[in-house]
């Protein structure tokens, strides 16, 4: 099957030229080192239909490593931190989003309220409408009751999880 990316390494490099040093940097930033250590073939492990299955969190981290490996100018990250635990979330935010991609334009969609103070600009969107866009500090000092809004959204998320 030509063009199919079977191994974890192929999934990350996605047809690009292999650069071992940069690959290792992407694997570290995406918090995949421990995963590679336990996979039977390491980075050469086949994943997917004919290979092993990986978890949702592992899939998200492989996608983040792939995005970083691509070395684009702009990154639209649609809630990539939702499928990982708190420790991995902090690692991904610090090592990948803040550090490895620091010179890139990064748009992060997230429900991780504890990260807002570390973002350059916070946009609050409700039912498809932009309510405000400013620094976290300015939003905290504005007329918008940001804490109540976040608490309301967190309550809704918790209700959704309980229904599932």
């Amino acid at each position: 099957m030509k063009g199919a990316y079977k191994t974890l390494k192929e999934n990350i490099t996605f047809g690009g030229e292999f650069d071992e040093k940069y690959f290792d940097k992407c694997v570290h930033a995406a918090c995949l080192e421990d995963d590679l250590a336990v996979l039977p073939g390491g980075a050469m492990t086949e994943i997917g239909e004919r290979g092993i299955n990986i978890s949702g969190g592992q899939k998200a981290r492989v996608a983040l490593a792939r995005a970083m490996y691509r070395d684009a100018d702009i990154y639209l990250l649609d809630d990539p931190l939702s499928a990982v635990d708190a420790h991995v979330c902090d690692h991904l935010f610090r090592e990948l989003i803040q550090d490895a991609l620091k010179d890139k334009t990064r748009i992060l969609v997230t429900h991780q309220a504890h990260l807002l103070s570390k973002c350059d600009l916070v946009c609050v969107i409700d039912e498809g409408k932009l309510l405000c866009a400013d620094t976290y500090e300015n939003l905290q000092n504005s007329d918008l009751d940001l804490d109540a809004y976040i608490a309301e959204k967190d309550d809704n998320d918790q209700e959704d999880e309980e229904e599932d």
Side-chain angles (χ1 to χ4, degrees), residues 89-152:
C89 174
D90 290 341
H91 176 97
L92 292 171
F93 187 78
R94 184 182 62 255
E95 298 290 329
L96 196 143
I97 296 169
Q98 283 188 308
D99 185 33
L101 302 179
K102 68 181 173 212
D103 296 325
K104 310 292 184 168
T105 300
R106 299 149 294 163
I107 301 168
L108 173 65
V109 177
T110 188
H111 291 94
Q112 304 290 331
H114 69 283
L115 299 176
L116 296 179
S117 64
K118 299 174 184 172
C119 295
D120 299 329
L121 181 70
V122 176
C123 299
V124 179
I125 300 172
D126 189 18
E127 295 184 18
K129 294 181 184 172
L130 179 65
L131 297 181
C132 54
D134 209 332
T135 64
Y136 181 74
E137 184 178 326
N138 286 346
L139 289 176
Q140 288 284 80
N141 297 323
S142 73
D143 292 338
L144 178 71
D145 188 357
L146 188 60
D147 292 331
Y149 182 78
I150 291 170
E152 174 187 326

Side-chain angles (χ1 to χ4, degrees), residues 6-12 23-24 27 32-47 52 54 58 62:
K6 299 175 187 174
T7 67
L8 192 117
K9 176 182 170 183
E10 291 172 329
N11 262 271
I12 293 172
F23 178 85
D24 291 344
V27 164
L32 285 167
E33 293 165 318
D34 289 345
D35 300 280
L36 291 181
V38 298
L39 290 173
M44 298 308 292
T45 301
E46 287 195 25
I47 57 175
I52 67 164
I54 58 176
Q58 289 170 320
V62 168

Side-chain angles (χ1 to χ4, degrees), residues 66-84:
R66 181 186 318 122
M68 181 180 162
Y69 195 84
R70 179 78 175 145
D71 195 27
D73 294 326
I74 300 171
Y75 290 84
L76 176 57
L77 305 169
D78 186 8
D79 210 12
L81 307 174
S82 64
V84 299

Side-chain angles (χ1 to χ4, degrees), residues 16-37:
E17 190 173 315
F18 181 68
D19 176 336
E20 185 174 4
K21 187 175 179 180
Y22 191 59
F23 178 85
D24 291 344
K25 185 176 179 179
C26 294
V27 164
H28 170 73
C31 202
L32 285 167
E33 293 165 318
D34 289 345
D35 300 280
L36 291 181

